[in-house]
Amino acid sequence: MCVLIAIADALSEHPEEPMTLGVLLGLCATEPAVFDQAPEIPEGATRGEYALLLRLTVLEVHP
């Protein structure tokens, strides 16, 4: 789960940019098992919004 926090931190560097599957795949490239733990990307989400969703997932808070 620490890897999800690291991904969330990386996404937070450019919070207003759109979140895409390609970005997530790129960040998970070295640890593909993390991709299975990551939540689905909501349509129209920014990187900052998805970073928050990742942090909530790590904390096991389900909106």
Side-chain angles (χ1 to χ4, degrees), residues 7-26:
I7 290 171
D9 291 345
L11 292 172
S12 294
E13 292 177 10
H14 303 283
E16 298 302 318
E17 292 184 20
M19 184 61 197
T20 64
L21 182 58
V23 170
L24 183 58
L25 289 172

Side-chain angles (χ1 to χ4, degrees), residues 5-60:
I5 293 293
I7 290 171
D9 291 345
L11 292 172
S12 294
E13 292 177 10
H14 303 283
E16 298 302 318
E17 292 184 20
M19 184 61 197
T20 64
L21 182 58
V23 170
L24 183 58
L25 289 172
L27 291 170
C28 294
T30 58
E31 299 204 33
V34 173
F35 184 74
D36 294 332
Q37 300 170 357
E40 184 176 326
I41 301 169
E43 186 175 334
T46 64
R47 291 182 183 190
E49 292 166 340
Y50 191 71
L52 178 60
L53 184 57
L54 286 175
R55 288 185 175 96
L56 289 173
T57 299
V58 170
L59 295 173
E60 295 184 3

